Amino acid sequence: MERERVFVKGGKYLYRVDHRIMEGDCQYDHGPKIVTVEDFYIDKYPVTIKDYLDFLKESSYSPEDKSNFLKDVNEERFNHPVIWVSHKDALAYCEFYNLRLPTDIEWQYAAGHNLKYPWGNIFNKDFCNGNGNSTTPVNKYEKNISPFGCADMCGNVYEWVNDIIDDGMHLFTFVRGGSYYKAPHFWHAEGGAQPNNFHLKFQLLSEALNRTATIGFRCVKEVNS
């Protein structure tokens, strides 16, 4: 399995995250704070349906709890980001290929840490899939490119990050980038395309609930691996 990756030169940046908290809290330091990022490689595109199906053939991976696993797989969408994969399903893919998920800090850095959106500071609905009915091919939007060359980091599907936080009551992680689906009501979780400095807290519950139609992932490769 060989996927296109881009090199991300590490450095320091001002990490800061904003997000709406509807109920409860988010036990995490959202900054602003100076953080250091080491060099790494990251997938240019989100992992596609075809990529994930190839992984299943090569690895014989089969989750213990198959609830909602890879729902609605369609050959006509092989170049769309894989969805209906839990955080565990994403980790299994990464581990098989000696990869990992990006940390929350790395994801923001690769997306364009000094920009509001991967392409710049002004939102343009024509640059991404942020208010549609379904996913689109990962290479559809030529303007949806970060300064490092990462594509499709705004809209289309949220992306899992590597962080797992235990607040003493729950395990949670974050998803990044927004998605194609924007719900019509304020009380829904934020959908649509989201800026680089936004993450959404995601409670890790049952596998059935951890798999959704709006979350996928991309992988990081260590420079020396």
Side-chain angles (χ1 to χ4, degrees), residues 96-116:
F96 182 75
Y97 294 115
N98 195 29
L99 306 170
R100 62 175 174 83
L101 295 174
T103 66
D104 191 63
I105 287 172
E106 287 172 336
W107 194 101
Q108 183 168 324
Y109 187 77
H113 59 88
N114 59 343
L115 299 172
K116 190 168 184 179

Side-chain angles (χ1 to χ4, degrees), residues 2-211:
E2 190 60 40
R3 304 192 71 244
E4 189 173 356
R5 297 188 180 93
V6 299
F7 175 69
V8 177
K9 178 64 178 175
K12 295 183 178 181
Y13 81 101
L14 183 65
Y15 172 83
R16 182 178 199 156
V17 171
D18 296 318
H19 69 108
R20 177 167 61 102
I21 296 176
M22 298 294 291
E23 297 178 359
D25 199 0
C26 182
Q27 302 297 324
Y28 192 76
D29 183 358
H30 296 92
K33 61 182 179 180
I34 299 295
V35 296
T36 300
V37 177
E38 302 296 330
D39 298 351
F40 62 95
Y41 293 98
I42 190 169
D43 289 346
K44 180 174 181 178
Y45 301 106
V47 172
T48 65
I49 292 173
K50 184 181 185 304
D51 293 329
Y52 204 87
L53 293 180
D54 288 345
F55 156 68
L56 294 182
K57 292 177 183 176
E58 295 172 21
S59 68
S60 300
Y61 171 71
S62 180
E64 291 183 16
D65 183 348
K66 297 181 175 63
S67 304
N68 290 332
F69 181 59
L70 291 183
K71 284 176 63 175
D72 305 324
V73 170
N74 186 325
E75 289 189 6
E76 295 179 358
R77 297 185 176 185
F78 270 12
N79 198 31
H80 290 224
V82 66
I83 52 176
W84 297 107
V85 286
S86 69
H87 195 262
K88 286 183 179 179
D89 298 329
L91 289 176
Y93 177 100
C94 292
E95 290 167 4
F96 182 75
Y97 294 115
N98 195 29
L99 306 170
R100 62 175 174 83
L101 295 174
T103 66
D104 191 63
I105 287 172
E106 287 172 336
W107 194 101
Q108 183 168 324
Y109 187 77
H113 59 88
N114 59 343
L115 299 172
K116 190 168 184 179
Y117 299 97
W119 57 80
N121 291 317
I122 299 175
F123 181 71
N124 189 320
K125 65 180 178 60
D126 296 325
F127 286 5
C128 60
N129 180 14
N131 197 11
N133 297 316
S134 66
T135 59
T136 48
V138 296
N139 59 351
K140 178 177 179 178
Y141 292 93
E142 296 180 356
K143 300 290 182 66
N144 195 348
I145 301 288
S146 81
F148 290 104
C150 299
D152 219 28
M153 295 189 89
C154 181
N156 211 6
V157 293
Y158 271 109
E159 297 180 13
W160 294 116
V161 299
N162 204 47
D163 311 58
I164 297 179
I165 297 96
D166 185 346
D167 64 6
M169 296 181 292
H170 307 97
L171 294 178
F172 65 90
T173 186
F174 303 112
V175 289
R176 283 280 192 162
S179 71
Y180 68 88
Y181 178 70
K182 189 171 180 64
H185 196 281
F186 177 79
W187 283 100
H188 288 86
E190 289 88 344
Q194 296 295 335
N196 294 341
N197 69 341
F198 174 92
H199 71 202
L200 184 64
K201 179 181 178 181
F202 192 101
Q203 298 278 12
L204 293 170
L205 302 171
S206 71
E207 288 296 89
L209 294 174
N210 294 343
R211 297 178 178 125

